[in-house]
Amino acid sequence: MSTIVEPVTCSFCGCVCDDLSAEVDNSRIVRVRGACSSGLGMFTGYDPAPRKPTVDGQEVTWEEAVAEAAAILKGAHSPLIYGLSSTASEAQRKAVELADRIGAVIDSTSSVCHGPSGLAMQAVGEPTCTLGEIRDRADLIVFWGCNPDASHLRHFARFSLTPKGALTTNGRQDRTVYVVDVRPTGTTKRADHFLQVDVGSDFEVLTTLRLLVRGKEPDVESVGGIPVADLAELAQRLKSCRFGVAFMGMGLTMTAARQLNVAELFTLVSELNQYTRFSVMPMRGHGNVAGADQVLSWTTGYPFAVSFARGYPQFSPGEFSAVDMLVRQATDAALIIASDPGAHFPRAAAQYLSEIPTIVLDHAESVTASHAQVVFPTAVYGVDASGTAYRMDNIPIPLHKVIETERVTDEDVLQRIIEAVQ
Amino acid sequence: MLGIIGGRIYDPQNGRDGEIGDIWVRDGRVVTAQEIDRERAQIIDATGMVIMPGGVDIHSHIVGAKVNSGRKLRPEDHRGHERARVGNLRSGVEGTVPTTHVTGYLYSEMGYTTVMEAATAPLVARHTHEELEDMPNLDKGVFITMGNNHFIMECIRDQQYERARDYVAWLLGASKGYAIKIVNPGGVENWKWGRNVGELDDEVIGYEGVTPRQIVQTLARINDDLGLPHVPHIHGINLGKSTSARTTVETIAALEGRRAHFCHLQFLSYGAGKGGVHRSEAAQVAEAVNAHPNVTVDIGQVIFGSTTTMTSDGPLQFSLHQTTGNKWVNDDVESESGGGIVPIAYKAANPINATMWLAGLELFLLIDDPWRVFLTTDHPNGGPFTRYPQVIRLLMDRGYREEMFAGINARARKGALLPELEREYSLRDIAIITRAGPARVLGLRNKGHLGVGAAADIAVYRDLADREAMFARPAYVFKGGELVARDGKVVAELPGRTLYVAPAYDKSIEAEVDEYFKRAYTLSLASYSVLGESVRGAERVECGARS
């Protein structure tokens, strides 16, 4: 007999939808009402069967696995802790505590995603708001270098395109939507205006918009493949809307100029507040990557790429970011939490990772886990464990336990490792 | 069991003004000598030292969404201020926005044991409580911003007082908050339209007939009716502006005798001066405070140096960004609040900054009753809390004050009141403005004093002529009877408590809030409320009708 469980929160992406309910049958989730197709798989694809930890591929007890993990970390000169964005903030806090105790480098997936947005924020600030402000007030939406139609499937319906809010009573009709991207996407199909920018030209286009907003006319016909007349029209709309928002993605953070692109957009948005109200929001990808930034900031002062090697936190992206640590072979043991760098990192980094002693905490049998010395098959927060995730607008949202299993949480495993390394 | 013997005890609540005596501690409480087995007690010889209750900070921005954005924003503030891991204590950074564990350590090292987080939007209270769990050695409480809350403004518009009262009671419990906070009432909402309020009777856009005056009056009445342990904690309109002294005096009058606390009053005590440079109107504001025994204040003293401003006052932070050109974070919070962050440097040579410094000291010296004026820097807005010892020296040492005065901007010096103010604070006065007074107005009955039954939160200082050095490095600090700092260095980490209130309300409000949430928020009520959830160290404080 099946039962309905609610509330259920999905932490697949940065939308962290908390309005779901699940149908549970025989300790398996068979249906989830309200979930998008990305989120659904997290619940229905989850195999809750008990699994034992492994050392060198052999099943062992939890105590043996913890002892082996502690031995690896204690024996390392320069351990690296990485991942964090798909676990709960309770586990992230334990991960930082462990890093502090053993003098590790700790980094989250931010460094290969919106890390440059963090650097831009540190350089020029960031005028932002919560997603409800956008739903209720925004009459001009700009998506720049992002494609929520593929990455954040309920974003349009809950926050940015179609919902009816306090001042957007007619929903979609009350919003003008621009997309700036290098190619047509699902998102461009939903927009009123699509400005196709040449690859690598975002910075020039943003600078031109800043000029136009200030009432200055560039003496060229087009910039970055976009006619100046079209940019002038956009600049006019940016200044005259009631409340505008720019959502931005990896089209700005992971292309040439990286944080300089983002800083230029953040600066444009700051300046627009002299004319009207305008906000910007990075489209955070993983469900709790915003939480990783938060937890690292309150425990170390810095959002990612932090080293405790000298006994206190030091921040240096490009040096203490995980890819760079691995490519430079500057680490000799790794603890990976809820992430699969073995599958997603550049080849040289993934290759080196497979050669050093590695400990993995993950519910999934990842590529990284297949090379690891110690694997802890842990629970999934929001499925068989409860915890907290921070939405892309940094609002903390509780993740509820939907089914009871015998899986241990990331937090528990990390606590046991902390005790074992002392 | 613990005995601190032979010290000069400053316990103003119990009328002890420096006479030599002993303090006995058992099970975390102050007890009588008869309850102690001296053979088994740890004895601290405090001969020649000064014993005070642990410090109580009534207004400090230490945790939560805004503070943490400030940390992320300012790597340049952290570098050079790192704090290495020692034993089982955590590492982190100090500077103007210290990391969470380190904030607890730094307060311990200054002899403080209780700190109130000054502003959290209830929407992100869950974050605040997560951080508070990571802040050791302190008892804490959280002030919940309500001065721009849509539900409350709808109630005021529709003249539904009881509904507003029940909602406030529900909201305090739902956010595990300690007090009602009002920040620029109506002005933060108007900022969402690019505007602000300038007068108490300006209208809040979208809320016909609702004004800052009504918001303050309604929340002050609710506070009394709910019998909250603290009073409404008010950051008024026009902060930083040349109209602020006038509207501060008007806001005090608008209370019509109801109790309230005005925070960081220094930032709200200016008038128009020559050439666009504000003048200190401390005398006018102090006069109003002196004449209204229903009012307490803290100062928000400016410290010369770099710091990070952060408030829930969105339009203020934008104007600071425009004035300084420094980087700016804004964060509008749906249906209830806003805020911003701007780094700043206060310079003695700058006429505006020097005037702010003067205004703070003048208020301290012109408000007659030390039980109604408390020491804060509005950390980190006026400067970091770690500089409190300097403020203590400025208040206790007129010669030091004159020396610093001679070094500030000449235009600010001209016509300044400060040189005429001869008053010097005594150790008793300091014990009041840093401990006994704030504890009393916060309604913390077991704190801020050393009578039998009080929490054994105790600071022991060496009696040095240099009062800054004295208060910067207490010889011993005890939290609940446990030694947490020795000679200005933290030696132990104890979990702190989070004090909160959950006043009773008419349960019918819950259904209304449930409906309201569906239109007003983008998350569920279950996600928002932390009422039924466990927060490590949370301890409920009872409410009761005020006498």
Side-chain angles (χ1 to χ4, degrees):
Chain A
M1 201 188 84
S2 69
T3 51
I4 302 294
V5 178
E6 63 181 357
V8 171
T9 301
C10 171
S11 61
F12 180 83
C13 83
C15 290
V16 193
C17 298
D18 64 343
D19 56 353
L20 316 178
S21 65
E23 189 179 331
V24 175
D25 190 4
N26 196 20
S27 286
R28 286 193 84 119
I29 300 168
V30 292
R31 278 177 66 186
V32 181
R33 276 198 190 80
C36 70
S37 56
S38 299
L40 187 64
M42 216 179 89
F43 295 97
T44 56
Y46 182 59
D47 176 5
R51 280 171 54 208
K52 295 188 90 175
T54 58
V55 171
D56 297 324
Q58 303 299 309
E59 287 192 357
V60 296
T61 65
W62 288 90
E63 290 71 22
E64 287 165 335
V66 167
E68 181 64 20
I72 289 172
L73 293 172
K74 282 169 83 171
H77 294 291
S78 177
L80 168 70
I81 300 178
Y82 175 77
L84 304 175
S85 56
S86 293
T87 191
S89 59
E90 288 81 358
Q92 293 165 346
R93 286 154 68 186
K94 290 290 173 198
V96 181
E97 184 179 346
L98 176 61
D100 194 359
R101 292 207 186 286
I102 63 175
V105 167
I106 186 163
D107 188 27
S108 82
T109 63
S110 270
S111 71
V112 291
C113 185
H114 273 284
S117 304
L119 299 181
M121 183 261 204
Q122 292 173 341
V124 302
E126 182 180 356
T128 189
C129 62
T130 66
L131 286 162
E133 283 294 298
I134 293 163
R135 183 195 67 180
D136 282 349
R137 291 175 182 272
D139 57 347
L140 178 63
I141 315 271
V142 180
F143 293 104
W144 199 307
C146 59
N147 182 19
D149 181 67
S151 59
H152 298 74
L153 302 187
R154 294 187 66 206
H155 196 273
F156 291 156
R158 294 189 65 209
F159 312 121
S160 57
L161 214 61
T162 54
K164 293 173 180 170
L167 303 177
T168 50
T169 48
N170 301 308
R172 179 67 181 85
Q173 289 170 45
D174 287 347
R175 299 181 177 92
T176 301
V177 179
Y178 268 82
V179 176
V180 185
D181 211 333
V182 295
R183 67 180 73 86
T185 65
T187 299
T188 64
K189 290 193 190 114
R190 305 289 298 273
D192 300 304
H193 305 272
F194 169 41
L195 303 181
Q196 188 160 353
V197 55
D198 290 343
V199 173
S201 299
D202 298 275
F203 184 89
E204 291 88 328
V205 172
L206 286 161
T207 301
T208 307
L209 280 170
R210 287 184 62 200
L211 272 177
L212 290 162
V213 163
R214 289 177 182 207
K216 295 179 181 166
E217 291 286 332
D219 56 358
V220 290
E221 293 285 307
S222 74
V223 175
I226 304 173
V228 166
D230 291 355
L231 292 175
E233 190 194 329
L234 173 57
Q236 196 48 45
R237 286 178 189 271
L238 294 173
K239 288 167 75 171
S240 60
C241 67
R242 172 182 59 213
F243 187 98
V245 62
F247 291 104
M248 45 77 54
M250 303 218 304
L252 288 183
T253 67
M254 287 293 144
T255 56
R258 291 169 166 252
Q259 64 263 30
L260 300 183
N261 293 333
V262 186
E264 199 66 2
L265 175 61
F266 286 11
T267 303
L268 169 66
V269 170
S270 280
E271 289 169 351
L272 285 168
N273 282 280
Q274 295 168 30
Y275 307 93
T276 183
R277 290 306 317 283
F278 221 101
S279 283
V280 66
M281 188 173 295
M283 296 286 292
R284 304 309 302 264
H286 291 290
N288 196 25
V289 68
D293 282 24
Q294 291 288 349
V295 168
L296 274 156
S297 293
W298 88 58
T299 50
T300 74
Y302 309 107
F304 62 99
V306 174
S307 169
F308 286 100
R310 296 184 70 172
Y312 51 80
Q314 290 182 294
F315 174 57
S316 188
E319 185 179 12
F320 303 137
S321 27
V323 168
D324 304 277
M325 289 290 292
L326 291 165
V327 169
R328 288 197 337 273
Q329 308 196 348
T331 174
D332 56 353
L335 171 67
I336 309 295
I337 303 164
S339 180
D340 195 6
H344 304 299
F345 270 9
R347 201 173 140 203
Q351 175 64 35
Y352 182 69
L353 179 64
S354 73
E355 294 165 10
I356 59 174
T358 300
I359 304 148
V360 170
L361 277 64
D362 205 331
H363 72 278
E365 296 175 51
S366 64
V367 172
T368 312
S370 70
H371 297 295
Q373 272 56 59
V374 186
V375 178
F376 294 95
T378 48
V380 180
Y381 287 96
V383 177
D384 54 349
S386 54
T388 308
Y390 287 69
R391 207 165 73 172
M392 66 166 71
D393 58 357
N394 290 301
I395 293 177
I397 302 205
L399 307 174
H400 308 282
K401 183 189 281 195
V402 182
I403 52 173
E404 287 288 341
T405 69
E406 289 167 24
R407 293 280 179 95
V408 177
T409 63
D410 293 342
E411 186 187 353
D412 288 337
V413 172
L414 290 166
Q415 177 61 35
R416 290 194 213 179
I417 295 175
I418 288 167
E419 287 161 13
V421 295
Q422 279 177 357
Chain B
M1 279 183 285
L2 168 71
I4 304 167
I5 60 168
R8 286 166 54 211
I9 299 172
Y10 287 86
D11 180 11
Q13 173 81 18
N14 295 301
R16 283 188 282 188
D17 187 17
E19 50 280 18
I20 289 170
D22 311 326
I23 300 290
W24 300 99
V25 172
R26 209 175 84 179
D27 302 327
R29 299 265 159 201
V30 176
V31 296
T32 62
Q34 288 74 36
E35 295 173 67
I36 294 287
D37 175 358
R38 291 209 184 194
E39 298 298 308
R40 292 171 52 205
Q42 180 199 359
I43 300 295
I44 302 285
D45 180 1
T47 305
M49 296 188 191
V50 166
I51 303 174
M52 289 189 182
V56 178
D57 195 338
I58 197 168
H59 186 107
S60 184
H61 299 269
I62 49 173
V63 285
K66 184 167 68 273
V67 174
N68 211 34
S69 285
R71 294 189 187 104
K72 181 179 172 186
L73 180 70
R74 300 215 60 197
E76 73 280 10
D77 184 74
H78 310 326
R79 291 184 173 128
H81 300 108
E82 294 89 353
R83 186 183 180 107
R85 187 169 68 86
V86 179
N88 275 335
L89 301 174
R90 297 286 290 273
S91 73
V93 297
E94 301 182 357
T96 68
V97 207
T99 47
T100 311
H101 293 84
V102 170
T103 300
Y105 303 157
L106 288 169
Y107 266 113
S108 286
E109 292 177 345
M110 217 170 54
Y112 274 66
T113 48
T114 304
V115 181
M116 293 287 146
E117 159 51 40
T120 282
L123 180 55
V124 285
R126 186 177 296 278
H127 172 165
T128 300
H129 288 295
E130 269 212 286
E131 273 198 58
L132 286 178
E133 290 184 343
D134 280 352
M135 185 170 289
N137 293 6
L138 295 174
D139 291 339
K140 298 139 296 199
V142 182
F143 300 165
I144 300 299
T145 51
M146 301 193 193
N148 294 274
N149 182 292
H150 288 193
F151 193 95
I152 293 168
M153 293 194 296
E154 283 178 16
C155 291
I156 293 172
R157 181 193 61 200
D158 301 339
Q159 301 187 332
Q160 297 172 318
Y161 171 76
E162 286 76 16
R163 189 162 169 256
R165 182 197 59 208
D166 288 335
Y167 171 79
V168 168
W170 171 83
L171 187 61
L172 283 165
S175 55
K176 279 196 163 67
Y178 189 75
I180 295 172
K181 177 74 184 292
I182 303 172
V183 177
N184 187 3
V188 179
E189 176 62 23
N190 281 7
W191 169 238
K192 293 174 178 176
W193 299 86
R195 310 261 301 271
N196 198 348
V197 294
E199 301 291 340
L200 281 179
D201 296 316
D202 281 355
E203 192 169 86
V204 186
I205 301 168
Y207 295 86
E208 196 182 345
V210 177
T211 64
R213 181 190 305 279
Q214 290 177 331
I215 295 168
V216 168
Q217 288 176 337
T218 304
L219 288 169
R221 181 179 165 199
I222 289 171
N223 201 105
D224 280 349
D225 286 352
L226 294 178
L228 300 180
H230 188 29
V231 298
H233 198 102
I234 302 174
H235 154 159
I237 63 172
N238 288 326
L239 188 145
K241 293 188 183 161
S242 64
T243 48
S244 59
R246 176 175 61 78
T247 53
T248 296
V249 172
E250 289 171 5
T251 308
I252 290 172
L255 286 165
E256 295 170 350
R258 288 197 187 277
R259 291 168 37 123
H261 179 84
F262 286 77
C263 54
H264 43 70
L265 198 64
Q266 175 277 127
F267 287 109
L268 290 134
S269 298
Y270 314 135
K274 286 179 189 157
V277 175
H278 297 352
R279 46 175 287 138
S280 164
E281 291 289 355
Q284 182 195 346
V285 173
E287 189 187 341
V289 173
N290 285 335
H292 289 85
N294 52 313
V295 164
T296 55
V297 308
D298 69 84
I299 297 301
Q301 178 64 35
V302 155
I303 307 287
F304 294 125
S306 294
T307 195
T308 311
T309 68
M310 51 179 70
T311 74
S312 305
D313 193 339
L316 161 73
Q317 298 294 149
F318 179 67
S319 91
L320 271 176
H321 162 60
Q322 293 291 97
T323 309
T324 62
N326 294 342
K327 57 189 176 183
W328 168 55
V329 168
N330 182 76
D331 193 4
D332 295 337
V333 179
E334 64 205 59
S335 305
E336 54 188 43
S337 188
I341 309 166
V342 178
I344 202 164
Y346 297 114
K347 294 174 181 153
N350 175 301
I352 298 170
N353 300 163
T355 300
M356 299 167 87
W357 181 83
L358 282 170
L361 290 176
E362 289 168 359
L363 286 167
F364 269 122
L365 298 168
L366 288 167
I367 294 172
D368 298 328
D369 181 1
W371 288 95
R372 296 204 286 120
V373 54
F374 313 130
L375 171 55
T376 67
T377 56
D378 184 19
H379 165 82
N381 286 300
F385 66 81
T386 48
R387 304 301 303 279
Y388 288 178
Q390 189 196 28
V391 182
I392 291 173
R393 185 174 177 201
L394 283 165
L395 296 176
M396 295 189 75
D397 182 344
R398 193 176 169 213
Y400 179 58
R401 214 151 67 208
E402 283 170 354
E403 196 182 304
M404 273 197 79
F405 179 77
I408 68 169
N409 176 275
R411 266 171 80 190
R413 278 207 310 271
K414 203 173 161 191
L417 260 183
L418 190 73
E420 298 164 30
L421 305 175
E422 296 180 6
R423 182 175 169 194
E424 288 182 330
Y425 272 59
S426 64
L427 282 173
R428 176 178 178 273
D429 292 337
I430 295 299
I432 295 170
I433 70 167
T434 60
R435 288 131 160 96
R440 184 185 282 182
V441 77
L442 285 164
L444 299 170
R445 295 199 178 139
N446 298 321
K447 292 177 178 290
H449 73 98
L450 294 172
V452 169
D457 296 353
I458 305 164
V460 183
Y461 299 96
R462 292 192 177 81
D463 192 0
L464 306 178
D466 178 345
R467 299 305 193 186
E468 183 173 359
M470 170 177 170
F471 282 95
R473 283 179 296 281
Y476 304 93
V477 181
F478 298 91
K479 176 79 188 73
E482 302 284 328
L483 183 69
V484 289
R486 177 84 203 268
D487 294 324
K489 280 285 159 205
V490 68
V491 295
E493 181 173 309
L494 302 174
R497 288 177 294 181
T498 297
L499 308 171
Y500 71 99
V501 296
Y505 51 82
D506 182 337
K507 293 291 175 195
S508 67
I509 197 72
E510 289 179 352
E512 284 197 60
V513 169
D514 202 28
E515 277 308 302
Y516 170 68
F517 253 75
K518 287 172 190 151
R519 73 177 153 93
Y521 286 94
T522 51
L523 75 170
S524 71
L525 184 55
S527 294
Y528 183 93
S529 173
V530 296
L531 180 62
E533 296 177 32
S534 73
V535 168
R536 198 163 65 230
E539 187 175 301
R540 184 169 163 181
V541 174
E542 290 307 315
C543 301
R546 285 205 169 272
S547 55

